[in-house]
Amino acid sequence: MKLSRYTQIVEYEGKILVFNLLNDKRAVCTDPTDLKMIERLRQGESIDPAKLSKGVQTFCVDENIDERKVCLGLLQSAYWDKRQLNFIVLPTMDCMFRCKYCYENKDHEAIDENFMDDFAEAIRTYHLRNRLKNLSIEWYGGEPLMVYEKIVDFTKNLNHFCETENIEHTYSMTTNGYLLSFDKAKTLIEMGIRKFQITVDGVKETHDKLRPHKNGNGTWNTIIENLLALKNSTLDFHVMIRVNYDTEVVERISEFYKFVKDNFDDRFTVFHHVISKWGGANDEEMEVIDPSTSQYVDTLLVEEAVDHGLKPDMNFYFTKFGGRVCYANRPYFYILSLDRKLRKCTFTDEKYDAFNVVGYLRAGEFEIDEKKLLNFVMPDYEKMNEKGCYDCQILPICHGLSCALRRAKNQVIDCVEEKINVKDNIIQEYKYYLSLKK
């Protein structure tokens, strides 16, 4: 056997951490014999499997296997399954916030009964044709809680259908948290909407500056009150607190993480994302962190979270198999907007629609343009070869897919930041799980 091309080895505080990006296996190697074998494998030696422990074999592969083919094949076989259907639904583009970095139009239009009825009927029609196994829906926006009652009614009816047809169904919601009162949260959680992404941009001062209410007032206090009410309950849920950061947020991130650790439990995790100029009205006046350095800042923030005993779970997920493959690259994952267009990316700007729109919600069915779908999601193998993707050690993370919209529009493949900080993230993941044993 030979060492897998996707096995990487890191030394941390005198310990040898071994991890494989293809099979997602991680281990701390302490056995002297195993350490010797790993060193021989690192030098390019092939070793008889009988001489290797089962633990070491986990990070090896048969000499005749081309792992690049295995890597790309596993992802395609997992994603090209019509029995798995996923949606991000934008039931309204309206929002009571006026976030400084927002790129969305604040359209006051919202879904009507016909929209919800047609959506439900289209799911039933799809099931009749493809025998659904898994269905997932994430409510997005705008602010989805502005149409709370419609979401509740729709979910109740869909639950009955999925349970009758034995379809596994999962729901989530990206919300600013301002309208997420305990009563509303309890209703949503009990009907199956248990995962929430809620943005809190650091401490009160930085958050209120970046995410004010449309009336000019701060929003931090109300969001935190709602989150604390959830924390004080026994409900089963997961809240991922997203922190969009600029320099001011980073300067006080330790203070914020201490607040989260002191006031919340392990049902709350954190995730951070650098603020960029995303095409909003305030782009020209915004001061953002230089994109060329943001990956290093990101590494420091992951470490800061772990040092405070918090789990930056999305950042850990990024180092897993397919972790950096955007949902837009998945063929049966659609963005459903008020205009009934089925897009692949949440950017709903019409200038991208020539590439981004792959179908429509018609009366009771999803009408998909297969050619446009394939043009959007299929890898550009020629560009991957030019970029060096096939020989890259982190191919299992991104599969050379990067941003699907940019790839479809400009024929460009972007490298993900994990190419630089994957080993740092693995170390932080190890530190986090080690802290749980204390």
Side-chain angles (χ1 to χ4, degrees), residues 182-206:
F182 179 74
D183 288 342
K184 287 182 179 178
K186 184 173 184 292
T187 298
L188 294 173
I189 291 166
E190 289 176 345
M191 69 172 51
I193 304 177
R194 296 189 179 93
K195 295 182 179 180
F196 302 89
Q197 176 176 293
I198 298 174
T199 298
V200 183
D201 287 345
V203 296
K204 174 178 170 57
E205 291 77 11
T206 57

Short mmCIF file of all heavy atoms in Angstrom, two decimals, residues 182-206:
data_model
loop_
_atom_site.label_atom_id
_atom_site.label_comp_id
_atom_site.label_asym_id
_atom_site.label_seq_id
_atom_site.Cartn_x
_atom_site.Cartn_y
_atom_site.Cartn_z
N PHE A 182 -39.96 33.75 21.54
CA PHE A 182 -39.94 32.37 22.02
C PHE A 182 -41.14 31.57 21.51
O PHE A 182 -41.01 30.42 21.11
CB PHE A 182 -39.90 32.33 23.54
CG PHE A 182 -39.90 30.93 24.08
CD1 PHE A 182 -38.76 30.14 24.00
CD2 PHE A 182 -41.05 30.36 24.61
CE1 PHE A 182 -38.76 28.83 24.47
CE2 PHE A 182 -41.06 29.07 25.08
CZ PHE A 182 -39.91 28.30 25.01
N ASP A 183 -42.31 32.17 21.50
CA ASP A 183 -43.50 31.46 21.05
C ASP A 183 -43.37 31.04 19.58
O ASP A 183 -43.73 29.92 19.21
CB ASP A 183 -44.75 32.33 21.24
CG ASP A 183 -45.13 32.47 22.70
OD1 ASP A 183 -44.67 31.64 23.52
OD2 ASP A 183 -45.88 33.40 23.04
N LYS A 184 -42.88 31.96 18.75
CA LYS A 184 -42.69 31.61 17.34
C LYS A 184 -41.63 30.53 17.19
O LYS A 184 -41.79 29.58 16.41
CB LYS A 184 -42.30 32.86 16.54
CG LYS A 184 -43.44 33.83 16.32
CD LYS A 184 -42.98 35.02 15.49
CE LYS A 184 -44.15 35.99 15.25
NZ LYS A 184 -43.73 37.18 14.48
N ALA A 185 -40.53 30.68 17.90
CA ALA A 185 -39.45 29.69 17.81
C ALA A 185 -39.95 28.31 18.24
O ALA A 185 -39.64 27.30 17.60
CB ALA A 185 -38.28 30.13 18.68
N LYS A 186 -40.72 28.26 19.31
CA LYS A 186 -41.25 26.99 19.81
C LYS A 186 -42.14 26.32 18.77
O LYS A 186 -42.02 25.11 18.51
CB LYS A 186 -42.04 27.23 21.10
CG LYS A 186 -42.56 25.96 21.78
CD LYS A 186 -43.18 26.33 23.13
CE LYS A 186 -43.62 25.08 23.89
NZ LYS A 186 -44.76 24.41 23.24
N THR A 187 -43.00 27.09 18.13
CA THR A 187 -43.87 26.54 17.09
C THR A 187 -43.06 26.00 15.92
O THR A 187 -43.30 24.89 15.44
CB THR A 187 -44.84 27.63 16.59
OG1 THR A 187 -45.68 28.05 17.66
CG2 THR A 187 -45.72 27.09 15.45
N LEU A 188 -42.08 26.77 15.47
CA LEU A 188 -41.25 26.33 14.35
C LEU A 188 -40.47 25.07 14.69
O LEU A 188 -40.40 24.12 13.90
CB LEU A 188 -40.28 27.45 13.96
CG LEU A 188 -40.90 28.73 13.39
CD1 LEU A 188 -39.84 29.81 13.21
CD2 LEU A 188 -41.59 28.46 12.05
N ILE A 189 -39.87 25.05 15.86
CA ILE A 189 -39.06 23.90 16.27
C ILE A 189 -39.92 22.64 16.38
O ILE A 189 -39.52 21.56 15.93
CB ILE A 189 -38.35 24.21 17.61
CG1 ILE A 189 -37.28 25.28 17.39
CG2 ILE A 189 -37.72 22.95 18.20
CD1 ILE A 189 -36.74 25.89 18.67
N GLU A 190 -41.09 22.77 16.95
CA GLU A 190 -41.96 21.60 17.14
C GLU A 190 -42.47 21.04 15.82
O GLU A 190 -42.81 19.86 15.74
CB GLU A 190 -43.12 21.97 18.07
CG GLU A 190 -42.67 22.16 19.52
CD GLU A 190 -43.79 22.61 20.44
OE1 GLU A 190 -44.85 23.05 19.90
OE2 GLU A 190 -43.61 22.55 21.67
N MET A 191 -42.51 21.87 14.76
CA MET A 191 -42.94 21.35 13.47
C MET A 191 -41.76 20.94 12.59
O MET A 191 -41.94 20.53 11.46
CB MET A 191 -43.82 22.36 12.74
CG MET A 191 -43.12 23.61 12.27
SD MET A 191 -44.21 24.61 11.22
CE MET A 191 -45.67 24.72 12.24
N GLY A 192 -40.54 21.04 13.14
CA GLY A 192 -39.39 20.49 12.44
C GLY A 192 -38.37 21.49 11.93
O GLY A 192 -37.33 21.11 11.42
N ILE A 193 -38.65 22.80 12.08
CA ILE A 193 -37.66 23.80 11.69
C ILE A 193 -36.76 24.03 12.91
O ILE A 193 -37.05 24.87 13.77
CB ILE A 193 -38.32 25.12 11.23
CG1 ILE A 193 -39.30 24.83 10.09
CG2 ILE A 193 -37.27 26.14 10.79
CD1 ILE A 193 -40.07 26.05 9.60
N ARG A 194 -35.68 23.25 12.98
CA ARG A 194 -34.86 23.23 14.20
C ARG A 194 -33.49 23.87 14.03
O ARG A 194 -32.77 24.05 15.01
CB ARG A 194 -34.67 21.78 14.66
CG ARG A 194 -35.96 21.08 15.07
CD ARG A 194 -35.69 19.74 15.72
NE ARG A 194 -36.92 19.11 16.13
CZ ARG A 194 -37.60 18.25 15.37
NH1 ARG A 194 -37.13 17.93 14.18
NH2 ARG A 194 -38.72 17.71 15.80
N LYS A 195 -33.11 24.16 12.80
CA LYS A 195 -31.79 24.75 12.57
C LYS A 195 -31.95 26.20 12.11
O LYS A 195 -32.68 26.48 11.16
CB LYS A 195 -31.03 23.95 11.52
CG LYS A 195 -30.70 22.53 11.96
CD LYS A 195 -29.90 21.80 10.89
CE LYS A 195 -29.56 20.38 11.35
NZ LYS A 195 -28.77 19.66 10.30
N PHE A 196 -31.25 27.08 12.80
CA PHE A 196 -31.34 28.50 12.50
C PHE A 196 -29.94 29.09 12.31
O PHE A 196 -29.03 28.78 13.08
CB PHE A 196 -32.04 29.26 13.63
CG PHE A 196 -33.42 28.78 13.93
CD1 PHE A 196 -33.64 27.75 14.84
CD2 PHE A 196 -34.52 29.35 13.29
CE1 PHE A 196 -34.92 27.30 15.12
CE2 PHE A 196 -35.81 28.90 13.57
CZ PHE A 196 -36.01 27.87 14.48
N GLN A 197 -29.79 29.90 11.28
CA GLN A 197 -28.58 30.72 11.16
C GLN A 197 -28.99 32.16 11.45
O GLN A 197 -29.86 32.72 10.78
CB GLN A 197 -27.98 30.64 9.77
CG GLN A 197 -26.76 31.56 9.59
CD GLN A 197 -26.09 31.43 8.25
OE1 GLN A 197 -25.51 30.41 7.93
NE2 GLN A 197 -26.19 32.46 7.43
N ILE A 198 -28.37 32.72 12.48
CA ILE A 198 -28.72 34.08 12.93
C ILE A 198 -27.44 34.90 13.02
O ILE A 198 -26.49 34.50 13.70
CB ILE A 198 -29.44 34.03 14.29
CG1 ILE A 198 -30.76 33.23 14.16
CG2 ILE A 198 -29.70 35.44 14.81
CD1 ILE A 198 -31.48 33.01 15.46
N THR A 199 -27.42 36.02 12.35
CA THR A 199 -26.22 36.85 12.31
C THR A 199 -26.18 37.81 13.49
O THR A 199 -27.14 38.55 13.74
CB THR A 199 -26.15 37.64 10.99
OG1 THR A 199 -26.06 36.73 9.90
CG2 THR A 199 -24.92 38.55 10.98
N VAL A 200 -25.08 37.76 14.21
CA VAL A 200 -24.78 38.74 15.26
C VAL A 200 -23.36 39.20 15.01
O VAL A 200 -22.41 38.43 15.23
CB VAL A 200 -24.92 38.13 16.68
CG1 VAL A 200 -24.68 39.21 17.73
CG2 VAL A 200 -26.27 37.47 16.87
N ASP A 201 -23.21 40.40 14.55
CA ASP A 201 -21.88 40.89 14.15
C ASP A 201 -21.10 41.43 15.35
O ASP A 201 -20.83 42.63 15.48
CB ASP A 201 -22.01 41.95 13.06
CG ASP A 201 -22.40 41.34 11.71
OD1 ASP A 201 -22.29 40.11 11.56
OD2 ASP A 201 -22.81 42.10 10.82
N GLY A 202 -20.79 40.49 16.25
CA GLY A 202 -19.96 40.84 17.40
C GLY A 202 -20.72 41.51 18.52
O GLY A 202 -21.91 41.27 18.73
N VAL A 203 -20.02 42.35 19.26
CA VAL A 203 -20.61 43.02 20.43
C VAL A 203 -21.66 44.04 19.97
O VAL A 203 -21.77 44.35 18.79
CB VAL A 203 -19.51 43.73 21.26
CG1 VAL A 203 -18.54 42.71 21.84
CG2 VAL A 203 -18.76 44.76 20.42
N LYS A 204 -22.39 44.54 20.94
CA LYS A 204 -23.51 45.44 20.64
C LYS A 204 -23.12 46.61 19.74
O LYS A 204 -23.81 46.93 18.76
CB LYS A 204 -24.12 45.96 21.95
CG LYS A 204 -25.21 47.02 21.76
CD LYS A 204 -25.78 47.44 23.10
CE LYS A 204 -26.68 48.65 22.94
NZ LYS A 204 -27.79 48.43 21.99
N GLU A 205 -21.98 47.25 20.06
CA GLU A 205 -21.60 48.46 19.32
C GLU A 205 -21.30 48.16 17.86
O GLU A 205 -21.72 48.91 16.96
CB GLU A 205 -20.38 49.11 19.99
CG GLU A 205 -20.65 49.72 21.34
CD GLU A 205 -20.76 48.70 22.46
OE1 GLU A 205 -20.42 47.51 22.23
OE2 GLU A 205 -21.16 49.08 23.58
N THR A 206 -20.56 47.09 17.58
CA THR A 206 -20.23 46.78 16.19
C THR A 206 -21.44 46.24 15.44
O THR A 206 -21.68 46.58 14.28
CB THR A 206 -19.07 45.76 16.12
OG1 THR A 206 -19.42 44.56 16.85
CG2 THR A 206 -17.80 46.35 16.70
#
